[in-house]
Amino acid sequence: LADQARLRALPEAIEIVFAGGVLVVVHGHQWPQAGSRHVCLRKQWPAVKCIVYGHSHRRVIDEHAQPIVVNPGAGGRARAYAGAGWIGLVVGAAQWHLTINGFS
């Protein structure tokens, strides 16, 4: 019961201030429609630099509009649609850079 109470107390999203912008991390289940998820995320946080979500386990980097929307995919083999992997984010005052890294 104590663990359940701790989980309920967690925020649905966190905003982390870095040099050059703000990063939002959110699970993503709040927007179940995949076709409109990125539009909804951008409407929710229009002024941040990057939004990272999970939920679908499908690796995506959407840089077609601002803010950048990223789903790192799955770190393990379970539901790893593009294979297990991760996305790295290098944060700088002038520029942020994303890299895709996979495990063999």
Side-chain angles (χ1 to χ4, degrees):
L1 290 177
D3 288 343
Q4 290 176 352
R6 285 188 197 112
L7 287 173
R8 282 193 298 275
L10 292 173
E12 284 205 3
I14 59 170
E15 295 185 20
I16 305 167
V17 178
F18 288 107
V22 176
L23 172 72
V24 168
V25 180
V26 62
H27 183 254
H29 69 281
Q30 302 91 328
W31 301 275
Q33 299 299 319
S36 62
R37 185 175 295 132
H38 293 188
V39 170
C40 293
L41 288 165
R42 286 182 171 116
K43 282 183 182 178
Q44 181 77 28
W45 292 283
V48 303
K49 181 83 170 188
C50 183
I51 302 166
V52 176
Y53 74 96
H55 183 59
S56 69
H57 297 240
R58 295 185 187 274
R59 191 176 312 135
V60 175
I61 296 176
D62 179 354
E63 298 178 292
H64 296 100
Q66 293 298 318
I68 299 166
V69 178
V70 176
N71 183 331
R77 298 199 186 280
R79 297 184 295 173
Y81 294 98
W86 53 278
I87 294 176
L89 173 62
V90 179
V91 175
Q95 183 178 353
W96 290 17
H97 177 71
L98 297 163
T99 58
I100 298 176
N101 302 276
F103 301 111
S104 38

